[in-house]
Amino acid sequence: MAGADAQRVPASRAPVIFLGPAGAGKGTQAARLAERLGVPRISTGDMLREALAQGNELGRAAEPFLERGELVPDHLLIKMIRDRIAAADCARGYILDGFPRTLPQAEALEEMLGSSAQSCIVLNLEVPREELLKRLGGRGREDDKGHAVEHRLQDYEDLTRPLVVFYESRGQLHRVNGFRDKDAVSADLQRIVEEQA
Ligand code: ADP
């Protein structure tokens, strides 16, 4: 029966893009949603830190930026994501956590996705700035210290905020209040993605 088959072999899902500043809970929520949907979560922060640990070409190129808490140059991220989403495990969908973060990255993604770009689901986790500072202050990772925290939040305002406008103008943006209990946030995100499927 067609219905039963459809349950056994999940149809491919539209790519999901997470936006939101450092500390908004993107990583946690993206991981939960990925598990729920059975698709990989592609975390650019994790991939960059792994490249750094391996000391490979990408890691060496990204290192000075990561240390300063600055965005890594677009061309490095674009290549990294282009290669990653071409992998077999992304064929049935994936969640992008940390990409795109700038307009040139968003434009490059549009090109990579072609006609499926229109079906992307964009989730924007919103948390007040004071709460972000509080959360990041308590997190203690090397690039979460003082000046670096301010820097990352400022980069978000300057470079990533325009993406909110970009995706909103195309009717792809879903705003979610991230200043709530984690489970309530997860439930909302899941509902949005399932409604779009
Ligand atoms: P956070 O979201 O808390 O800033 P991430 O783990 O997502 O942390 O990213 C860590 C660092 O990796 C960022 O501060 C930045 O230097 C780099 N990075 C991650 N994604 C991107 C991206 N799309 N473009 C440029 N730099 C990135």
Side-chain angles (χ1 to χ4, degrees), residues 5-117:
D5 283 344
Q7 277 193 339
R8 267 201 299 277
V9 183
S12 74
R13 292 184 172 275
V16 175
I17 297 172
F18 263 89
L19 298 181
K26 277 199 317 283
T28 306
Q29 294 297 343
R32 285 185 176 191
L33 190 63
E35 162 123 33
R36 181 83 202 182
L37 302 178
V39 299
R41 163 192 171 226
I42 301 176
S43 157
T44 53
D46 286 354
M47 288 179 79
L48 290 168
R49 283 186 288 272
E50 200 180 304
L52 196 70
Q54 286 176 359
N56 62 24
E57 200 181 328
L58 171 64
R60 290 195 303 275
E63 185 167 18
F65 302 95
L66 292 172
E67 276 180 354
R68 293 195 295 266
E70 286 172 17
L71 291 182
V72 173
D74 287 333
H75 71 277
L76 294 174
L77 266 294
I78 290 167
K79 176 168 188 334
M80 185 178 96
I81 290 297
R82 190 190 303 280
D83 293 348
R84 180 66 187 89
I85 66 178
D89 67 331
C90 291
R92 295 196 181 282
Y94 49 87
I95 294 182
L96 290 174
D97 170 10
F99 186 94
R101 248 178 164 130
T102 65
L103 270 179
Q105 291 179 17
E107 282 156 11
L109 182 64
E110 295 283 292
E111 251 182 70
M112 288 177 221
L113 297 181
S115 57
S116 58

Side-chain angles (χ1 to χ4, degrees), residues 52-197:
L52 196 70
Q54 286 176 359
N56 62 24
E57 200 181 328
L58 171 64
R60 290 195 303 275
E63 185 167 18
F65 302 95
L66 292 172
E67 276 180 354
R68 293 195 295 266
E70 286 172 17
L71 291 182
V72 173
D74 287 333
H75 71 277
L76 294 174
L77 266 294
I78 290 167
K79 176 168 188 334
M80 185 178 96
I81 290 297
R82 190 190 303 280
D83 293 348
R84 180 66 187 89
I85 66 178
D89 67 331
C90 291
R92 295 196 181 282
Y94 49 87
I95 294 182
L96 290 174
D97 170 10
F99 186 94
R101 248 178 164 130
T102 65
L103 270 179
Q105 291 179 17
E107 282 156 11
L109 182 64
E110 295 283 292
E111 251 182 70
M112 288 177 221
L113 297 181
S115 57
S116 58
Q118 285 129 359
S119 61
C120 279
I121 300 167
V122 185
L123 304 170
N124 189 36
L125 268 185
E126 300 185 317
V127 173
R129 187 181 162 83
E130 305 73 64
E131 172 66 13
L132 292 176
L133 287 169
K134 212 159 79 187
R135 290 184 185 180
L136 292 170
R139 204 155 81 168
R141 210 170 68 192
E142 200 45 47
D143 60 349
D144 283 344
K145 304 232 170 89
H147 181 69
V149 168
E150 292 285 346
H151 202 129
R152 283 153 74 216
L153 291 180
Q154 196 55 47
D155 270 349
Y156 178 79
E157 287 307 323
D158 297 342
L159 300 169
T160 310
R161 181 74 69 187
L163 300 190
V164 173
V165 179
F166 173 82
Y167 287 116
E168 185 152 55
S169 72
R170 301 169 26 139
Q172 285 176 282
L173 190 84
H174 301 268
R175 296 173 182 274
V176 175
N177 176 6
F179 191 24
R180 288 179 300 158
D181 172 77
K182 274 185 194 158
D183 293 339
V185 177
S186 301
D188 266 9
L189 294 170
Q190 193 188 318
R191 180 183 46 74
I192 291 167
V193 170
E194 269 155 16
E195 272 170 17
Q196 299 298 308

